[in-house]
Amino acid sequence: MSNRLFLYKFETMEMTEITKENYGLKESAKEVLVNNSTGRFTKPTDNLYPHQWSWDAGFIAMGYAHYNQAAAERDLLHLFSGQWDNGMVPHIVFDDRGFEDKYFPGPSFWKTENAPNTPNSVQTSGICQPPIHATAVRHILCHAQDREKALSFADAIFPRIAAWHDYLYRERDKENDGLVYIRHPWESGQDNSPLWDPILNRMQLDPKIMPSYQRRDLGHVDAAERPTNLDYDRYIYLVDFFKKNSYNEESIRENECPFLVQDVLFNTILAKANRDIGEIAEAIGENSEKWFERADKTSRAIDKKLWCAEKQFYVNFDLNRGTQIHERVLAGFLPIYAGVPSKERTEILFNYLNTHCFCHLDDKCYAAPSYDRSSPEYSGSKYWRGPIWINLNWMLCMGLDRYGYTDYAERIMNSIIQLPSMSGFHEYFDPDTGRGYGSDNFSWTASLLLDVLYTREKSASN
Ligand code: 9WN
């Protein structure tokens, strides 16, 4: 059956047929999570990513929240066991088996144990990822099978999430403008996005000071679907630079870190997470005011400093240059996920989203690609430079729904269900053919699909 026909079939199926078909899909999605679970946490996938990643853990918990609350709580607690004394939640908490032959850079390259602030018994990386965790905890509270248990879990994890957000505002918002910075493309979660090209291209690396290293990712996935070697050199140079600065935020800044960016998506996720931790605070009888104030401050700053009047789009800000970075990536729409823009501004964004540059409803397209298709640098198979990512589309869907673009949100939800059922639980998908790329059996593809299926079922039965 051709992809287009499958899409048509899906859209015209009766609810009962969808439910029947979904049963098998749900079981397959759960199986992906079972197979990726180590018993202590759920890894993103086998081989390519054998450790625990920070924002993955949040997205994975969103699916578990509906049927396996214990696993959702266990995963988040495991992630926070790697939290640093200064509050930072590292982007990787390493499996203690090391797996240096599977993943690079592993613990022996990061050597964070030599830095102050790091946990004693857990090995971690020395950078972070978008703070989706409060949102995941709120999700657990909303869908809890055991409400009492969820409340005591929220109570236990609340101070840790509070310390995490405090870290971001204390260490990463040096201009006190409500926007926190990231200092490595990996911190954005969108590693080789065209967003970073102008900065990475400025980095002239001296081969004499480059550490030698061996990539492991290319042993698992085709090089054409991964970042280039030049990208990797820059990623590794930055890690080495942080290590030489003992992972001390002040000296990283003072020694002229070449990469300091106020990123739209990171700050959007933070704004939403502040609102969510505020709601968690209310549920457990803590003061919520500070969190709602921070949510407002960051939202206002995104809307002001990261809005480009000329392009009519949200864009990143390069702190080293003091200029905006004008790239048309899907993340530029996502402030709608945190309720940042006005209705008028959202209409402008929607009119651009609903074109062939991203995904036009009349095109019967799949979900929205990560990069404007009309850009010369666009590629449907190259990681964060075009393919559909399920997590970005899941956030887009929440945002569209929030502003009343329900037909479009529905279309995206259908694709979140359809793409894995058609092509497997891949890491990313070609926007034109729906073909899966990157690793297979990818956890957040499975867990966010589960979230969509369970949410639909609940709303159908209400
Ligand atoms: C580097 C685990 C992670 C995701 C990121 C994705 C990819 C790592 C890598 O995999 O990044 O952190 O080695 O390529 O870009 O979003 O969290 O799934």
Side-chain angles (χ1 to χ4, degrees), residues 127-146:
I127 57 171
C128 62
Q129 266 188 338
I132 190 87
H133 316 95
T135 306
V137 172
R138 181 178 168 272
H139 214 69
I140 293 172
L141 276 174
C142 289
H143 300 289
Q145 293 93 69
D146 182 338

Side-chain angles (χ1 to χ4, degrees), residues 348-377:
I348 296 171
L349 292 171
F350 181 75
N351 288 338
Y352 173 38
L353 177 70
N354 190 22
T355 63
H356 183 66
C357 294
F358 281 91
C359 178
H360 195 298
L361 275 184
D362 293 344
D363 283 352
K364 284 211 174 300
C365 65
Y366 296 98
S370 46
Y371 189 31
D372 184 326
R373 293 162 192 268
S374 65
S375 305
E377 293 289 305

Side-chain angles (χ1 to χ4, degrees), residues 28-30 32-33 63 420 425 442-451:
S28 312
K30 289 181 183 177
V32 169
L33 297 181
F425 293 89
F442 191 64
S443 290
W444 84 42
T445 301
S447 63
L448 295 176
L449 174 142
L450 284 166
D451 180 56

Side-chain angles (χ1 to χ4, degrees), residues 120 138 198 235 250 310 322 337 375 391:
N120 289 332
R138 181 178 168 272
Y235 302 157
E250 206 175 321
E310 188 199 331
Y337 161 74
S375 305
N391 62 340

Side-chain angles (χ1 to χ4, degrees), residues 44 49 53 55-56 91 103 129 186 189 191 226 232 383-384 442 444:
Y49 306 126
W53 262 258
W55 78 333
D56 297 61
H91 100 299
Y103 187 79
Q129 266 188 338
W186 286 341
D191 309 357
R226 293 286 300 173
Y232 253 80
Y383 213 32
W384 293 94
F442 191 64
W444 84 42

